[in-house]
Amino acid sequence: MCLRPVKVGVEMSTQLKIFVAGDVEGNFDQLFSRIKNIQKKSGNFDLLLCVGDFFGTNFMAWESYVKGEKKVPIATLILGPNKFEHTDYYKDNKDGGDLCDNVTYLGKKGTYNGSSGLTIAYLSGTESSEGKSGEINFSQQDVTSLLLPVATDTKFQGVDILITSQWPKGVDRYGIPVGELDTTNVGSSLVSQLAINLRPRYHFCGMENVFYERQPYRNHKVLAEKERHVTRFIGLAKLSNTQKKKYLYAFSITPLSSIDQSELTKQTPDVTECPFNMEESKPRQEKESDAQFFYDMTPREEKGKKRQRDKDGGPDRKQIKHKEPTGPCWFCLGSPEVEKHLVVSVGIHTYLALAKGGLVDDHILILPIGHHQSTTSAPSEVIDEINRYKTALKKFFKQIGKSVVFFERNYKTQHLQIQVVPVPIDCVQELKDAFMQCSEEENVELNEIPKHSDLKQIVPSGTPYFYAEIPSGEKLLHRIKKQFPIQFGRDVLSSVQVLNMPERVDWRNCKISKDKEARLAAKFKEDFKQFDLNLD
């Protein structure tokens, strides 16, 4: 992995104590004074890693360290420049090397291997807007060359630490929002690619002047792959910030190579799905003879249909071209087979409709406008809007004293349908037991999957499944292999523990007249109006 030996001034023990600093920007005295004080109280640390802009513009401050007038109190590894005006600091060590006693520039990209077994992968600079590598920029070629040995190494587990100046794009997906930072306009897709394939246990970044410690995310597909270790992402603020944001992070780590596998792969209670699209970033070999790997890292927003806005700033639905079925479909909104009187809300990519033969009067369906068979095959813009509808429906039903169950059956269907069934709040505690009891009676293996999981990363596209989300936040999944009871979801919800309506299991027994359907749809539409995400 582009290995280059790097010397540090200490012999490291098995468990390492490490500092990581955000953008130093030439505030060397402030940083090293803080580290000296911490070490006096807590003992010596083994290493300091610096991400973001290290030098700033205070050349005289650095000169005193180069001349030996001031001492760096700890072995320090830094990244390369992000701005052209800082390149002079690195001109004599373009490929990495010692800049002064105890400070080492790692280089443009590569992996540092410590004597303890610690592995630190690094990438300097920011992503090039022109796709070309330069003094302060990296390109796809840089990332590909760094990942090439990993792509063919079947024993590769991951690295201990990844340091980059630039953030990965979309890192807060499934996690706590960054809040003060608009992550849609921040970060690099190439850094995301690096994080997916290197599987760091820790990933540190700078540059954005915020402190953000994300919940750990997993590096495997639940139920589809063996468990791997989790990744913890930490973004650090600048040393010079006046808001007292955290710029220095201290932690202990035992190298991956020295940890028992069962201990290494333990999953924390707050672990989430990987925020990056793991399928899009898998390497594919163009030609066997070329031994070069290429990656599909087109940003998600460019792959989806771009939303058009009309003169009032609202979505122009006429500009959206939806996928069409190859034959008749009862649920594609543009199809003549659709019963339009059941429709209660229309979004950009999805719509709501009253369920025909519903379990209850306000049994609703969330459906894509275009033709998509399941959640696992639908594009991201469709899934995002489905999730916004789910949030709105939860708020709506909560206001009227109800909870809501969502379920989907991707089996003997041709169009994605999310069933939305409101249930009394007082039966919420019974729901999981009802599902499990029914699954046992029907010989259906129902697995609970992590609350922060993404169905797309667990179930391959095209695989039949039954999936349910219950008000407690638990998610239940059955992979359909043979026969499956078509009415399973309705069977559970109509049971004595929940709605106590066993006679309504089959939707065909619940049909009502078209006039009554229209009246129920009109009533729901009116009641839902203040929650409808398309009526802002």
Side-chain angles (χ1 to χ4, degrees):
M1 288 179 59
C2 304
L3 302 183
R4 184 178 57 78
V6 177
K7 293 181 180 179
V8 295
V10 293
E11 184 70 23
M12 296 190 224
S13 59
T14 302
Q15 187 173 54
L16 310 172
K17 293 170 67 178
I18 297 177
F19 286 118
V20 186
D23 304 66
V24 180
E25 294 187 328
N27 295 288
F28 310 118
D29 292 350
Q30 178 188 344
L31 173 64
F32 296 136
S33 175
R34 175 82 186 278
I35 285 176
K36 283 179 184 177
N37 290 334
I38 294 174
Q39 293 195 129
K40 282 180 183 178
K41 296 177 182 178
S42 306
N44 287 337
F45 277 62
D46 297 295
L47 192 62
L48 166 64
L49 307 174
C50 294
V51 295
D53 175 14
F54 183 72
F55 283 107
T57 55
N58 190 354
F59 184 77
M60 294 304 296
W62 177 242
E63 275 294 296
S64 59
Y65 288 92
V66 173
K67 293 176 180 177
E69 296 168 359
K70 294 180 180 179
K71 300 294 183 182
V72 177
I74 186 172
T76 303
L77 303 178
I78 71 171
L79 292 172
N82 304 311
K83 300 175 183 177
F84 280 115
E85 54 264 37
H86 300 164
T87 55
D88 282 349
Y89 293 110
Y90 302 87
K91 63 183 178 182
D92 296 327
N93 296 278
K94 289 187 177 181
D95 296 322
D98 295 337
L99 302 187
C100 78
D101 186 29
N102 254 359
V103 176
T104 299
Y105 163 46
L106 286 166
K108 182 69 176 288
K109 63 182 184 295
T111 301
Y112 157 73
N113 287 275
S115 58
S116 64
L118 185 77
T119 55
I120 304 173
Y122 54 90
L123 179 66
S124 297
T126 59
E127 182 176 344
S128 170
S129 58
E130 300 176 353
K132 297 179 180 179
S133 183
E135 288 183 283
I136 64 169
N137 300 120
F138 58 82
S139 66
Q140 176 68 74
Q141 185 178 3
D142 292 313
V143 173
T144 301
S145 67
L146 184 55
L147 294 178
L148 187 58
V150 172
T152 57
D153 185 357
T154 56
K155 295 182 179 179
F156 177 74
Q157 287 186 289
V159 298
D160 289 301
I161 300 171
L162 171 62
I163 53 173
T164 60
S165 288
Q166 200 167 12
W167 284 39
K169 197 167 188 65
V171 71
D172 61 344
R173 187 180 181 218
Y174 306 128
I176 301 168
V178 180
E180 58 188 301
L181 192 65
D182 180 6
T183 55
T184 58
N185 298 316
V186 165
S188 161
S189 295
L190 292 180
V191 175
S192 302
Q193 180 188 129
L194 203 61
I196 292 169
N197 289 283
L198 291 182
R199 299 194 287 273
R201 295 165 64 199
Y202 286 87
H203 183 181
F204 295 94
C205 299
M207 292 187 66
E208 300 302 336
N209 196 28
V210 297
F211 173 71
Y212 175 66
E213 186 169 9
R214 191 197 186 283
Q215 306 109 294
Y217 67 81
R218 63 177 63 87
N219 287 291
H220 64 275
K221 295 182 181 180
V222 177
L223 302 180
E225 297 176 327
K226 67 178 183 180
E227 283 191 340
R228 295 190 179 114
H229 60 264
V230 301
T231 293
R232 291 170 169 83
F233 173 84
I234 296 98
L236 292 163
K238 299 177 180 180
L239 266 73
S240 58
N241 80 84
T242 57
Q243 297 84 24
K244 296 184 178 179
K245 300 173 186 176
K246 190 169 181 176
Y247 65 81
L248 189 64
Y249 190 91
F251 69 109
S252 297
I253 185 172
T254 299
L256 183 149
S257 57
S258 301
I259 302 178
D260 181 76
Q261 189 68 20
S262 60
E263 185 68 24
L264 177 67
T265 58
K266 278 185 179 178
Q267 306 292 294
T268 61
D270 60 341
V271 67
T272 77
E273 204 62 75
C274 178
F276 318 119
N277 191 315
M278 297 172 78
E279 291 301 322
E280 288 178 358
S281 297
K282 280 187 176 179
R284 59 182 177 84
Q285 199 166 3
E286 193 71 9
K287 293 180 181 178
E288 290 186 10
S289 59
D290 290 342
Q292 291 187 10
F293 291 80
F294 300 86
Y295 298 80
D296 178 10
M297 283 304 295
T298 307
R300 183 184 303 276
E301 59 271 20
E302 291 181 15
K303 287 190 171 187
K305 303 292 185 182
K306 291 186 178 179
R307 294 185 178 181
Q308 302 294 321
R309 301 284 171 176
D310 61 17
K311 62 182 179 180
D312 296 323
D316 184 358
R317 296 173 177 82
K318 294 179 181 178
Q319 299 298 320
I320 303 293
K321 183 173 177 59
H322 294 287
K323 184 178 179 182
E324 297 180 358
T326 55
C329 179
W330 291 95
F331 299 105
C332 287
L333 193 56
S335 170
E337 286 84 8
V338 169
E339 299 192 51
K340 299 284 197 306
H341 68 287
L342 297 174
V343 176
V344 296
S345 174
V346 180
I348 306 298
H349 305 285
T350 59
Y351 71 101
L352 301 184
L354 196 74
K356 199 169 186 68
L359 268 169
V360 289
D361 287 350
D362 41 8
H363 179 169
I364 297 295
L365 303 178
I366 309 175
L367 309 113
I369 293 173
H371 193 70
H372 303 287
Q373 182 169 331
S374 67
T375 294
T376 56
S377 61
S380 59
E381 61 269 21
V382 171
I383 301 303
D384 290 343
E385 195 166 282
I386 285 174
N387 289 332
R388 289 198 296 274
Y389 262 132
K390 284 181 178 179
T391 300
L393 287 162
K394 286 177 185 177
K395 292 178 180 177
F396 166 68
F397 284 118
K398 183 178 180 180
Q399 188 191 53
I400 59 176
K402 297 180 181 180
S403 289
V404 62
V405 175
F406 302 98
F407 69 88
E408 176 193 1
R409 170 175 50 85
N410 180 32
Y411 175 70
K412 295 188 177 180
T413 58
Q414 61 168 332
H415 192 106
L416 166 59
Q417 304 166 49
I418 306 291
Q419 306 280 336
V420 184
V421 183
V423 297
I425 287 179
D426 59 9
C427 75
V428 166
Q429 299 301 319
E430 310 294 330
L431 275 168
K432 185 177 179 182
D433 287 342
F435 270 102
M436 292 306 177
Q437 182 179 326
C438 191
S439 68
E440 188 174 340
E441 292 171 355
E442 297 284 359
N443 197 26
V444 169
E445 184 182 354
L446 203 57
N447 294 297
E448 184 178 345
I449 62 176
K451 291 183 179 181
H452 296 289
S453 58
D454 179 354
L455 196 61
K456 277 192 170 187
Q457 296 199 15
I458 298 175
V459 182
S461 179
T463 301
Y465 60 85
F466 173 86
Y467 171 72
E469 296 176 8
I470 58 180
S472 58
E474 290 163 305
K475 299 179 178 182
L476 307 173
L477 173 68
H478 169 65
R479 290 193 183 194
I480 300 171
K481 297 177 181 178
K482 296 180 180 179
Q483 294 300 311
F484 178 75
I486 296 293
Q487 305 295 348
F488 180 77
R490 290 179 68 113
D491 198 4
V492 174
L493 298 183
S494 64
S495 65
V496 175
Q497 302 101 303
V498 189
L499 294 174
N500 194 20
M501 297 176 172
E503 72 281 1
R504 299 184 70 84
V505 171
D506 193 328
W507 72 274
R508 289 167 293 192
N509 297 332
C510 306
K511 288 183 182 179
I512 56 177
S513 68
K514 186 174 181 178
D515 286 344
K516 187 171 182 181
E517 288 175 338
R519 288 196 298 273
L520 289 175
K523 182 180 185 306
F524 185 93
K525 187 175 183 178
E526 180 62 30
D527 294 343
F528 184 64
K529 187 181 295 183
Q530 70 180 94
F531 299 91
D532 194 336
L533 53 92
N534 299 294
L535 296 178
D536 294 336

